[in-house]
Amino acid sequence: MFNLNRWQSGTAALIALSVTSGTVAPFIIAAPSLAQTTFTDVQSNYWASQFIQELSQRGVIAGFPDGSFRPEEPVTRAQFAAMINKAFQKPAQRQAITFNDVPSNYWAASAIQQAYTIGFLAGYPGNNFRPNEAIPRQQVLVSLANGLQYTASTDPATILQYYNDASSIADYARSPIAAATEKQIVVNYPNVKFLNPTVTASRAQVAAFIYQALVSSNQATAINSPYIVAINTTPTPTAITIPQGTAIPVKYDQAKKILVTKDETAPLTLTVSQNVVTQDGVVVIPAGSQVIGQLKPAKGGSQFVAQKLVLTTGQEYDLNASSDVITKTETVKKGISTGAIIQNTVFGASAAAAVSAVTGDRAIATEEVLGGAGIGALIGVFFGRNSVDLIAIEPNTDPG
C-alpha cells in the first residue's frame, strides 16, 4: 500500500509512500554530484547546473555583468552561432556566403559565417539567416547532428517513437533528431519522454545540448543526469524498497490554489520538486516525475487520491495512495468581485459553474478548469444561490 501524508508546511506538499521490492528497479539512478556555479541565479540543485558550469569553464558560455546567467532566457540563432564556434573547432565544409539580413558590421556576422562554413547552421530561402529569431529546440538538435555529421543507425521512426510528442517534430528534423537521440545529445527536462521540438530553446537547454554533443564526440566527460535521453542503455536493475513514510516533495505549478465543490471529482497532476534519494545516495524518484490522480469528495472535504507515478524516463507505476482530507473552505457570495477569486486559482468544473452562477460572471468558465467539461450544464445546478462554500486547496502552502 502507498500512503500520502496530509499537505505539509513549507514550499511543497509531501507525499509519503512505499514500494515493494523490485518494483522500482528499472529507475535506479546514481545520485549526481551537485555542481557549484558562480552564477547568482543558478543554484547547485538546478537541473542544468553541471552543464552550465562545464561550458562556462570552457569559455563557451558566459554570464551577465550582474553575475546572473538567466538560464530560462531564449536563445537567438545568432547567439547560438556564437556558442557553436566557441564549442567546436572544425575545418570548413563549404564556401562562405553572404546572408542578406546579416550586415558585415553585425555583432555576430563572423560567428554566423563560421557556423555556416563548418556545417552547423544554414540559412532560409531567399538567402536569409534570421539572426534575431529565437531558435527552437529541434533546430538546435538538427544543427548539432548535422555539424557533427551524425546519422541514425536504424529507422528514425523507430527511434522517435520514444517521444510522446514525436508527431510535433518537423519532417526536416526527424532524421537528425533520431541521430542526436542515439548519440545521447538530447536532454529533456522535466520529462525525458517529451521533446517539445517547437518550443524556443532556453540558455540552459542549449548549454545541455552543446555539452552532450561534446560528450558524444569524446571532447568532454559525461555528466550523470536523469534528463539525458539514453534509449540504448540497458542498466542492470537493482531491486530496492522505498520505506513506507518516505517523503516525496511535490508541487503544483499551475496555480497557488485549487477550488472544488464538496461533491466533485477533478483530475490533478502534481510534480516531484526534488530528487528522492536513499541514504546510499541513490536517486529513486527524480525531480520532474509526476504523480497523477484525482481530487475526490471525502468526509465533508476533498482528498487527493494518487493513481500513477510517471518518472522522467517515461516509466509508469500504479499507485494506491491518498492524502488526508482537506476541509478548509472559501465562501463565494453574490456580488463579490471575481477578480480576487480567480487570481492564481484553478477550478474544478463544478466549482467554476458554482462561482459563475453565484456571481453572475459567465467569464469564469473560461478560466483554468480541471477537467474542463460540462460547465455550462452545471451552472443550472447552482442557479439562484446567493453563496456557495468551496473546498480551498493550497497544495504548496497548506500547513500540516
Side-chain angles (χ1 to χ4, degrees):
M1 289 290 293
F2 295 77
N3 294 315
L4 297 181
N5 284 343
R6 64 165 58 186
W7 306 122
Q8 302 294 315
S9 60
T11 59
L14 299 182
I15 295 177
L17 54 83
S18 65
V19 179
T20 56
S21 178
T23 302
V24 298
F27 65 94
I28 298 304
I29 304 168
S33 58
L34 297 180
Q36 299 297 316
T37 75
T38 58
F39 300 115
T40 57
D41 56 351
V42 180
Q43 302 302 314
S44 61
N45 61 352
Y46 181 65
W47 73 269
S49 62
Q50 288 184 283
F51 301 110
I52 293 169
Q53 179 200 30
E54 293 292 338
L55 287 192
S56 175
Q57 291 176 349
R58 288 169 174 257
V60 174
I61 56 176
F64 293 86
D66 64 357
S68 66
F69 181 75
R70 304 175 194 174
E72 304 303 323
E73 278 198 0
V75 175
T76 66
R77 284 170 52 80
Q79 291 169 342
F80 179 64
M83 295 178 191
I84 284 293
N85 291 325
K86 292 177 181 178
F88 301 98
Q89 303 298 319
K90 282 187 61 183
Q93 305 292 317
R94 53 192 175 187
Q95 294 294 319
I97 64 172
T98 301
F99 292 106
N100 294 331
D101 55 352
V102 182
S104 60
N105 61 350
Y106 183 68
W107 73 270
S110 172
I112 291 169
Q113 283 289 352
Q114 178 70 4
Y116 174 82
T117 59
I118 63 177
F120 278 90
L121 285 168
Y124 288 91
N127 206 30
N128 292 314
F129 185 79
R130 303 181 190 174
N132 298 319
E133 184 176 86
I135 190 167
R137 285 166 54 86
Q138 64 184 357
Q139 274 192 24
V140 174
L141 293 171
V142 168
S143 169
L144 294 171
N146 288 345
L148 296 172
Q149 299 179 320
Y150 290 154
T151 57
S153 64
T154 188
D155 180 17
T158 301
I159 298 172
L160 296 180
Q161 68 182 0
Y162 172 86
Y163 301 110
N164 289 343
D165 54 356
S167 61
S168 299
I169 302 173
D171 289 342
Y172 80 88
R174 298 184 72 80
S175 291
I177 288 179
T181 300
E182 274 196 329
K183 292 291 186 177
Q184 297 187 15
I185 294 175
V186 183
V187 185
N188 292 336
Y189 173 86
N191 195 318
V192 293
K193 294 286 285 186
F194 288 88
L195 183 66
N196 294 312
T198 62
V199 172
T200 296
S202 68
R203 284 167 54 81
Q205 292 166 353
V206 169
F209 289 158
I210 290 178
Y211 188 82
Q212 284 303 106
L214 290 169
V215 172
S216 74
S217 53
N218 298 315
Q219 299 179 64
T221 303
I223 285 175
N224 184 20
S225 167
Y227 308 112
I228 298 170
V229 177
I231 63 173
N232 292 329
T233 59
T234 54
T236 302
T238 302
I240 187 170
T241 297
I242 302 176
Q244 184 171 352
T246 298
I248 300 179
V250 298
K251 60 182 179 179
Y252 184 62
D253 293 323
Q254 303 305 312
K256 293 182 179 179
K257 182 170 61 178
I258 302 168
L259 292 177
V260 293
T261 60
K262 294 179 180 180
D263 57 356
E264 80 171 295
T265 298
L268 182 63
T269 298
L270 303 173
T271 301
V272 178
S273 60
Q274 300 175 21
N275 289 340
V276 177
V277 186
T278 68
Q279 292 182 345
D280 297 327
V282 177
V283 177
V284 289
I285 302 180
S289 299
Q290 294 182 319
V291 179
I292 300 174
Q294 292 180 316
L295 290 169
K296 292 186 174 183
K299 300 177 182 179
S302 186
Q303 183 178 46
F304 177 69
V305 178
Q307 299 165 325
K308 185 181 297 184
L309 173 67
V310 181
L311 303 180
T312 57
T313 59
Q315 292 167 292
E316 299 182 0
Y317 297 90
D318 290 334
L319 294 183
N320 180 13
S322 60
S323 73
D324 286 348
V325 176
I326 301 162
T327 58
K328 184 171 61 178
T329 61
E330 181 171 317
T331 301
V332 177
K333 297 181 179 180
K334 186 175 182 179
I336 192 173
S337 171
T338 58
I341 301 174
I342 66 176
Q343 187 175 10
N344 292 319
T345 303
V346 298
F347 301 84
S350 182
V355 174
S356 180
V358 170
T359 64
D361 185 353
R362 295 297 186 264
I364 194 72
T366 66
E367 297 300 323
E368 187 72 27
V369 176
L370 297 173
I375 297 173
L378 290 169
I379 290 177
V381 176
F382 302 95
F383 186 76
R385 292 195 188 183
N386 292 320
S387 68
V388 63
D389 291 330
L390 302 176
I391 302 297
I393 303 164
E394 298 180 13
N396 296 335
T397 59
D398 273 346

